[in-house]
């Protein structure tokens, strides 16, 4: 299915460019790439951001932007 290919391969490859250009820490870069590869539902993004010590407000912004 083309949507699976886009979600699991193409989107993380596209997201990898700004992650590398902005020199995020390894933990932040990994979190961004994992979030880019998963289904961006509101609850899972916020929970992952909070559990990882991130900013839940950014999780909401990224979720709204990806949907």
């Amino acid at each position: 299915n083309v949507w699976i290919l886009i979600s699991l391969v193409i989107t993380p490859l596209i997201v990898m460019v700004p992650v590398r250009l902005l020199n995020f820490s390894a933990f932040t870069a990994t979190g961004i790439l994992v979030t880019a590869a998963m289904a961006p539902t509101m609850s899972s993004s916020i929970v992952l951001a909070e559990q990882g010590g991130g900013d839940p407000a950014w999780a909401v912004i990224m979720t709204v932007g990806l949907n």
Side-chain angles (χ1 to χ4, degrees):
N1 190 347
V2 71
W3 297 113
I4 293 172
L5 178 69
I6 290 171
S7 178
L8 296 177
V9 177
I10 296 173
T11 302
L13 288 175
I14 292 170
V15 170
M16 195 177 299
V17 173
V19 166
R20 290 201 175 232
L21 290 175
L22 295 173
N23 293 323
F24 287 113
S25 70
F27 291 118
T28 302
T30 302
I32 291 171
L33 291 171
V34 168
T35 303
M38 68 179 211
T41 60
M42 188 69 98
S43 60
S44 63
S45 294
I46 294 171
V47 169
L48 284 171
E50 288 178 338
Q51 291 295 317
D55 187 356
W58 272 110
V60 172
I61 291 169
M62 290 179 63
T63 301
V64 170
L66 290 171
N67 285 324

